[in-house]
Amino acid sequence: MLLGSLFALLVAGSLASAQDYTADHNTTSIVGTWSSGTQNVVPGPGFANPAQETFTYPKASGVGYSFSDNGWYELARFRYVGNSSHPECIVGTVVWAHGNYDLLDNGSIILTPIGDGYQQVQSPCNKDNTNFIQDYNVTEMYASWRIFTDVTFGPKLHLFQFDGSPVAPLFRLSDQPNMLPQQKLRNNQVQVVTTTSAGFVTTETIVSKRKEARHEVQRRGWGSLWPVW
Ligand SMILES: *[C@@H]1O[C@H](CO)[C@@H](O)[C@H](O)[C@H]1NC(C)=O
Ligand SMILES: *[C@@H]1O[C@H](CO)[C@@H](O)[C@H](O)[C@H]1NC(C)=O
Ligand SMILES: *[C@@H]1O[C@H](CO)[C@@H](O)[C@H](O)[C@H]1NC(C)=O
Ligand SMILES: *[C@@H]1O[C@H](CO)[C@@H](O)[C@H](O)[C@H]1NC(C)=O
């Protein structure tokens, strides 16, 4: 009898463990505003102005995510990627995107952008273009996520990649999501997808309003640029 109910408990526990969003998995809800490191990179109007394709540069590099209770997320990222053989060729990137997130039953989280994201790349050694704006529409999927409560810093969100390694921990700045309106905020385009020799999937974008060509970089081919911050 006792053994039987113990067994039932164990079975229930192991069956539930994959999608078990108990206090053990997340000590608080994921809804809110989260930021890594020195917590200078915060999504919302203080970071990006998509209609103008501008950014307000944070004081330090890092990444921030906001999650709403109706399934919307916003990403803000500012990072440098060094070049050990040419230290002067450090590449700086600021990224903004937003869209829908899903907490999958198997514990994974997927962030699907709606296509109005953009990034500014500053690449001092790129002879063709040292400073440019591109479309940025990268779907992010993490194998799992957890929220611990740190005695000093409070709730801390960890996103784990498929190789099991955690990305930089995200500290909770607020239990409210700081974000721009949940709709398309940049007016981009008609697109033709091509693959370049470098393995990048690029999307030629015709911005009719300005009659200028843009390129969209998708995740494939990013290798060393992903996800360093
Ligand atoms: C953990 O996350 C799940 C899924 O969003 C949610 O249903 C649950 O309420 C959260 N737990 C806590 C303690 O906030
Ligand atoms: C952005 O990516 C999402 C997810 O892959 C896709 O559904 C959407 O069509 C893309 N939008 C653009 C403008 O490429
Ligand atoms: C480092 O910079 C040099 C000079 O611009 C460039 O040729 C090289 O590809 C860069 N290396 C990396 C890893 O980005
Ligand atoms: C969870 O399910 C998604 C969608 O089926 C899949 O792509 C992902 O690899 C799964 N995650 C894990 C950790 O197996």
Side-chain angles (χ1 to χ4, degrees):
M1 183 64 196
L2 186 61
L3 270 180
S5 51
L6 187 59
F7 179 71
L9 275 176
L10 285 173
V11 168
S14 60
L15 283 178
S17 64
Q19 63 271 41
D20 181 15
Y21 293 118
T22 61
D24 189 41
H25 177 93
N26 48 319
T27 50
T28 65
S29 161
I30 198 169
V31 171
T33 305
W34 305 84
S35 183
S36 71
T38 51
Q39 299 161 44
N40 281 290
V41 183
V42 184
F47 178 76
N49 181 340
Q52 301 295 320
E53 293 183 342
T54 58
F55 291 97
T56 303
Y57 272 67
K59 283 192 300 225
S61 61
V63 61
Y65 290 94
S66 290
F67 298 97
S68 73
D69 60 7
N70 65 342
W72 196 263
Y73 80 95
E74 184 168 319
L75 159 71
R77 185 187 294 127
F78 174 30
R79 69 181 164 188
Y80 287 105
V81 177
N83 181 327
S84 49
S85 49
H86 295 265
E88 75 286 5
C89 295
I90 188 165
V91 176
T93 320
V94 236
V95 177
W96 175 85
H98 68 177
N100 300 286
Y101 74 92
D102 288 303
L103 305 176
L104 304 184
D105 284 348
N106 64 7
S108 297
I109 179 171
I110 182 159
L111 314 180
T112 310
I114 59 160
D116 58 349
Y118 65 107
Q119 70 174 353
Q120 180 173 13
V121 179
Q122 301 201 44
S123 180
C125 299
N126 180 340
K127 282 191 247 35
D128 302 328
N129 212 342
T130 57
N131 186 350
F132 52 97
I133 302 274
Q134 296 176 306
D135 287 349
Y136 180 90
N137 192 43
V138 176
T139 298
E140 295 182 26
M141 167 125 102
Y142 295 96
S144 65
W145 58 280
R146 296 197 79 142
I147 298 166
F148 302 98
T149 295
D150 185 285
V151 282
T152 311
F153 299 106
K156 211 165 70 160
L157 168 63
H158 289 262
L159 301 170
F160 296 91
Q161 294 174 276
F162 275 85
D163 65 3
S165 60
V167 303
L170 298 151
F171 302 98
R172 194 176 73 178
L173 298 180
S174 168
D175 60 6
Q176 300 297 312
N178 207 51
M179 51 174 55
L180 291 164
Q182 300 178 10
Q183 62 192 51
K184 195 159 193 241
L185 297 177
R186 234 176 107 237
N187 196 19
N188 44 330
Q189 64 237 288
V190 184
Q191 299 184 327
V192 185
V193 176
T194 50
T195 305
T196 67
S197 53
F200 284 80
V201 175
T202 69
T203 308
E204 202 82 46
T205 304
I206 296 117
V207 182
S208 50
K209 200 172 61 178
R210 290 189 225 145
K211 304 259 186 273
E212 80 189 35
R214 291 175 181 280
H215 285 84
E216 175 174 1
V217 178
Q218 294 186 341
R219 180 165 180 169
R220 197 184 311 171
W222 273 63
S224 63
L225 286 182
W226 185 272
V228 185
W229 40 64

